[in-house]
Amino acid sequence: LPPEQRTVGQLVGEAMRTYGNRFWAALAIGLPVAAVNALVVAVPRGPGQLLLAAGGGVLMAVSYVGACAIVLERPFRSRSALVAYAIGVLVFIPFPFLATVFVLPGLVWLAFVGLAVPAAFVERLGVPAAFARGIQLARADFVHVLGGLATLALVVFLTQAALYLVLREFAENTRVVAAILASVVVSPLVFIGAALLYLDQEARLRSRERRKERDADVPHAVHAHRKGHPDPARKSRPPA
């Protein structure tokens, strides 16, 4: 189906297809995620979580912008990519705190403002305009964005857990090495899917605007200035 009609299941399938077509470039997207996992292991609970949030935001933004460059076919080395990266850092820094409470608030946050990153990248917007555009895109079909991110996160979590167990059992890797390898291989899928959501929402928004324009051109059933009268004029009858 075209992007404006794409379902969540088709979004995941398209993300897998894109990953397979650009495997080696997409695999590099998982390297920053592996570094974040290493931070999770190294940084203790407590005040160190602030360092984890900052470091995680800096690294996850690299993965997101890289996925946007692959999916949207834009140069990674450009001014718009730098602006998108700065927005990505602002988007991802609060995510660990929200996800610590429960994963759903973190996903809601990403669904609401996360599309500002590809919007800045593709449309060459500044930071305030990109956030406004990202929120506008998210509101075009917020259920699709949230459902898509939740499904991608669930698929990545289950696949990564299965791959982690396989690496531990049959490859004799340590726990940390197995977790890092699994995140490198599987995590790019969620960023590729998030970049595809920009295309879905942008198409949905354009489709909605076209429908409004068509509705605005529909003539009224009764036109006050048309020629003639609905009924012929009648003369008054003379008094009896």
Side-chain angles (χ1 to χ4, degrees):
L1 293 176
E4 64 267 22
Q5 300 176 9
R6 189 153 50 199
T7 64
V8 170
Q10 290 169 334
L11 171 71
V12 176
E14 183 66 18
M16 291 180 178
R17 188 185 69 83
T18 304
Y19 187 7
N21 291 340
R22 301 290 305 277
F23 178 74
W24 294 110
L27 194 65
I29 297 173
L31 295 176
V33 181
V36 172
N37 288 340
L39 279 174
V40 171
V41 175
V43 175
R45 294 278 182 177
Q49 287 184 338
L50 295 175
L51 177 62
L52 175 62
V58 168
L59 294 171
M60 301 282 272
V62 175
S63 294
Y64 195 8
V65 175
C68 292
I70 291 173
V71 172
L72 307 173
E73 298 181 350
R74 299 291 172 134
F76 187 73
R77 297 180 179 179
S78 61
R79 183 182 180 279
S80 58
L82 289 175
V83 176
Y85 171 74
I87 295 172
V89 172
L90 297 176
V91 168
F92 279 109
I93 282 181
F95 178 74
F97 300 103
L98 296 170
T100 300
V101 179
F102 188 64
V103 70
L104 185 58
L107 291 175
V108 170
W109 167 256
L110 292 181
F112 192 62
V113 299
L115 294 178
V117 176
F121 198 6
V122 175
E123 302 176 25
R124 299 179 180 180
L125 302 174
V127 175
F131 273 107
R133 176 63 170 169
I135 293 171
Q136 181 189 28
L137 291 169
R139 293 177 61 186
D141 190 348
F142 187 74
V143 174
H144 180 67
V145 182
L146 182 58
L149 289 177
T151 304
L152 288 165
L154 182 61
V155 170
V156 168
F157 173 76
L158 294 177
T159 308
Q160 187 169 311
L163 184 58
Y164 167 78
L165 294 175
V166 169
L167 292 172
R168 281 288 310 274
E169 286 292 328
F170 299 103
E172 297 183 356
N173 292 298
T174 64
R175 180 176 63 87
V176 176
V177 172
I180 290 175
L181 290 176
S183 63
V184 168
V185 174
V186 181
S187 62
L189 190 65
V190 71
F191 294 101
I192 292 173
L196 286 169
L197 278 172
Y198 168 79
L199 297 176
D200 290 3
Q201 294 298 104
E202 198 271 338
R204 280 168 162 78
L205 188 60
R206 279 191 289 108
S207 177
R208 180 180 298 178
E209 290 173 351
R210 285 197 299 267
R211 285 198 300 270
K212 288 181 179 179
E213 290 175 358
R214 287 198 298 267
D215 293 342
D217 293 334
V218 174
H220 294 291
V222 177
H223 198 289
H225 302 288
R226 70 171 183 246
K227 294 182 179 180
H229 300 278
D231 297 312
R234 296 182 179 179
K235 294 182 178 180
S236 60
R237 296 175 60 182

